[in-house]
Amino acid sequence: MELELGLALPGSDRTPELGVHGEKRASLCRKRGVDEMLAKATLPLFIQKDNDEDGDDDSRQSKHLQELNFSGSRVLVGWPPVKMWRRKSDDCGRRRANCVKVNMEGVAIGRKVDLCLHDSYQALFLTLGQMFPKKQHDGEESDAAYYKVTYEDEDGDWMLVGDVPWELSVLKHQHKKAK
Amino acid sequence: MVRGFGWAAAFPDEVWEHVFSFLAADADRNAVALVCRAWHRIERRSRRRVFVGNCYAVAPAAAVRRFPEVRAAAIKGKPHFADFNLVPTDWGGGAEAWVEAMAEGWPHLEELRLKRMVVSDDCLELIARSFKNFGVLSLVSCDGFSTAGLAAFAANCRNLRELDLHENEVEDNCLNWISHFPDSFTSLVSLNIACLEGDVNTSVLECLISRCPNLRTLRLNHAMPLEKLVSLLQRAPQLVDLGTSKFSADHHPELFFKLESTFAGFKHLKSLSGIWEAGPAYLPAIYSVCESLTSLNLCYATIQSPELLKLVSRCKNLQRLWVMDLIEDNGLIAVAASCKLLQELRVFPSDPYGVAPPISLTEHGLVAISAGCLMLHSVLYFCRQMTNAALLTIANNRPNLTCFRLCIIEPHTPDYISQEPLDAGFSAIVESCKDLRRLSLSGLLTDRVFKSIGASANRLEMLSVAFAGDSDAGLHYILSGCKNLRKLEIRDCPFGDKALLDNASKLETMRSLWMSSCSVTLGACRQLALKMPRLNVEVIDERRGRPLESWPDDFPVEKLYIYRTVAGPRSDTPPCVWTV
């Protein structure tokens, strides 16, 4: 069975429940307080393996592309079955932001970026450029050329942002690092 | 002229054509075509409507050749689960092949309805230019086009009656596309632009509406401010179907009064939707039309229960209600008491990814509706808890259900009182509701429920399964039963090779089967493809590793889409899709 450890603020509920087949299901974290900025994400320290090499059917877990949104709850792709289009137009503060945490090398505090507010890599780089301090250089404006942005994919590898088409990447990205 | 021998020759072809014109259902026309050669010939020449449930099931040219006199066509592309991001965006479903074939072979085409297809701007222009009498374009859940394409379409369509854009992903790159309708264009009856994100020029729209006296349906998008909406609507008091824009603004008594009197002016309004972001301030402006409404779609209106209750209890003639779970149980109890003619209810989750549900919508609401609304036959219900007892009650109350889709948001949720699986509840539904055509399961379910479904759901045509079952037996029960099953979609269930291979021939009686995150191996797919040449077995894998041929038989298949086809393997598969 896979073990999952999490980092969370003291006091946030994290009671793992056992599913019918004995697999551990982490229950959804309860949001404390209205201010989303204060809620911390819990990050799995061990990424679940896709294939059980020993073919153990009992602990077989469905393979999901796993995202963590900023309130720490794990979200399955395509579940609940609510149409993408509905989600997009469902604003009024109830919209689920597709937030990603971005850390810059040498900067202590990470920032969060809502991928839903961006429709392309250019837009994302622009925002990142505004969020993080620039090094001293000749007032060059091309942020995309200046920063190297990488993300961690589901296999735990650090990939360069920009390979995958934007729409696909919005679903997959967990964690970004800017250098 | 009389042709051929035998009894079919007793009447001239025109007489048979006239007789066949009373057969609306495709199934009936298909049956007629099998009787004899003469009828086959006469039927195919006189068929006016064609429905292609899977765009890859037949080659466009073949369809066009067989039915040369078609005036209305409806085509569907991607599998249903594409709505929930489970299908890669480049999977396929492109409309060009069809539009090109139709432009060649059906110059008199008047209506085209496409669902879940990729439609390019060029396609739109081709449609507008190729069909002289083109009257109806409906695009549902499509993508690939932009407002520039719409502009080209608008400019070239002279006799357009209906433009229905429903939940499409449309790129906004042409601000004033509506102004491309020529000034001489007056034939519009129905316009639905609710899915467009950008602003629409109100004065251009007003002009269009003023010169189209036959306009019956107008569904606007979110962007238009309330004041502009009011002046627009005053030009179309004859509307039967209205979708408003944003229904909130700073409170001005003047504006409220104008809105209220505009609605009072609608003498024929039957259907109301839109109402985005409605606040309690402006909602009462609608009250005057409530009594005459038969269809009310509030699923974008984040109105709270008290206001919803006041609104819905006035709608005594409502047949269809789509609403958010903000209506809560007591709102549904009020609906059950007031809306005695209700046939269809859909309750959507206001906070599907939320953690602590503050919403008091439970199984009680649905039970109340099932008891109070005797004509209820179609249900879509998102909730967080359910019991077998509630499902049993619903089944007993409403044996006339034809569509029952229940989505308990957390997977594997048991009966919250008994902690049992919900097998008994769903079994009761399929056993009691003999005309059930569509069913979606959720909650904790074992193989037992599939045994009931396989045995009892004789009219079932579409089944959606997620996070259910214990073993292959579950899938076997469905495939060996369910005589009329057409579409089966499964995700995250422990169903595998044996059930699939044991029931291979069943798959050719169905339109399609989708399985994702199950236990199917590549070897089984290979065997299936070998055994059933008239199935396309598509393996979808987005990791883009080595090609399919090099993988071993025990390779687990992540996503599988199987469909019957007379067109053979398709030639437009993207890199992540392999036809085995």
Side-chain angles (χ1 to χ4, degrees), chain B residues 72-129:
Chain B
I75 308 169
K76 292 188 178 181
K78 300 183 192 181
H80 175 234
F81 274 177
D83 286 354
F84 316 126
N85 267 342
L86 289 175
V87 178
T89 43
D90 56 351
W91 173 83
E96 314 76 50
W98 277 95
V99 174
E100 279 162 13
M102 293 189 287
E104 273 260 351
W106 292 337
H108 303 292
L109 191 73
E110 293 169 13
E111 293 180 21
L112 182 58
R113 298 172 200 275
L114 303 177
K115 184 168 185 179
R116 282 191 210 100
M117 296 195 76
V118 180
V119 181
S120 64
D121 285 348
D122 287 342
C123 253
L124 288 178
E125 192 165 352
L126 188 60
I127 292 168
R129 289 188 192 281

Side-chain angles (χ1 to χ4, degrees), chain B residues 294-363:
Chain B
T294 57
S295 170
L296 180 58
N297 182 354
L298 296 170
C299 68
Y300 302 110
T302 47
I303 322 171
Q304 301 300 320
S305 184
E307 280 77 40
L308 270 176
L309 221 147
K310 273 189 242 166
L311 180 65
V312 177
S313 349
R314 294 174 131 84
C315 301
K316 307 257 182 273
N317 290 302
L318 214 54
Q319 293 171 18
R320 185 198 316 183
L321 175 63
W322 292 16
V323 74
M324 296 260 246
D325 57 4
L326 301 166
I327 196 170
E328 299 191 349
D329 285 340
N330 52 357
L332 289 177
I333 291 168
V335 170
S338 318
C339 309
K340 291 307 190 186
L341 303 179
L342 195 68
Q343 298 178 21
E344 179 183 328
L345 174 69
R346 295 194 192 188
V347 177
F348 294 96
S350 55
D351 193 13
Y353 311 103
V355 175
I359 307 293
S360 175
L361 179 103
T362 68
E363 74 279 13

Side-chain angles (χ1 to χ4, degrees), chain A residues 153-169:
Chain A
D153 74 355
E154 66 260 40
D155 295 326
D157 301 321
W158 287 97
M159 317 278 284
L160 196 64
V161 162
D163 279 352
V164 181
W166 174 256
E167 302 83 76
L168 278 181
S169 71

Side-chain angles (χ1 to χ4, degrees), chain A residues 2-177:
Chain A
E2 306 297 344
L3 191 65
E4 195 178 298
L5 303 179
L7 296 176
L9 277 178
S12 43
D13 268 349
R14 261 215 103 217
T15 49
E17 291 163 35
L18 288 175
V20 174
H21 303 289
E23 82 269 16
K24 255 202 185 141
R25 269 185 306 124
S27 79
L28 305 173
C29 269
R30 309 233 167 279
K31 249 194 226 185
R32 292 294 167 125
V34 178
D35 193 343
E36 209 178 11
M37 283 298 283
L38 295 179
K40 291 280 202 282
T42 55
L43 305 173
L45 294 188
F46 295 93
I47 296 174
Q48 289 183 331
K49 283 192 175 193
D50 281 348
N51 277 322
D52 275 347
E53 245 95 58
D54 54 345
D56 187 351
D57 281 334
D58 283 346
S59 68
R60 185 195 179 284
Q61 309 213 12
S62 313
K63 290 183 279 180
H64 309 301
L65 291 172
Q66 294 192 350
E67 303 167 47
L68 284 174
N69 69 14
F70 226 65
S71 64
S73 51
R74 187 177 300 124
V75 173
L76 299 169
V77 174
W79 191 266
V82 177
K83 286 186 187 171
M84 255 303 267
W85 191 83
R86 293 208 76 231
R87 276 188 264 155
K88 260 179 103 179
S89 56
D90 201 3
D91 331 86
C92 334
R94 284 179 173 276
R95 184 169 54 88
R96 171 186 155 262
N98 191 1
C99 287
V100 173
K101 196 166 182 184
V102 186
N103 288 100
M104 179 157 158
E105 218 169 72
V107 177
I109 298 176
R111 302 293 303 272
K112 87 171 168 166
V113 177
D114 183 358
L115 293 181
C116 284
L117 295 179
H118 302 86
D119 57 9
S120 66
Y121 286 113
Q122 278 63 40
L124 176 65
F125 290 140
L126 211 67
T127 304
L128 290 179
Q130 285 159 1
M131 277 182 166
F132 289 98
K134 286 192 176 55
K135 284 203 191 133
Q136 311 299 332
H137 61 98
D138 311 324
E140 192 188 297
E141 280 313 304
S142 131
D143 302 297
Y146 182 66
Y147 290 101
K148 242 207 194 83
V149 186
T150 56
Y151 71 96
E152 186 177 30
D153 74 355
E154 66 260 40
D155 295 326
D157 301 321
W158 287 97
M159 317 278 284
L160 196 64
V161 162
D163 279 352
V164 181
W166 174 256
E167 302 83 76
L168 278 181
S169 71
V170 167
L171 295 173
K172 288 183 183 176
H173 291 184
Q174 280 190 359
H175 197 102
K176 286 187 161 119
K177 256 196 198 160

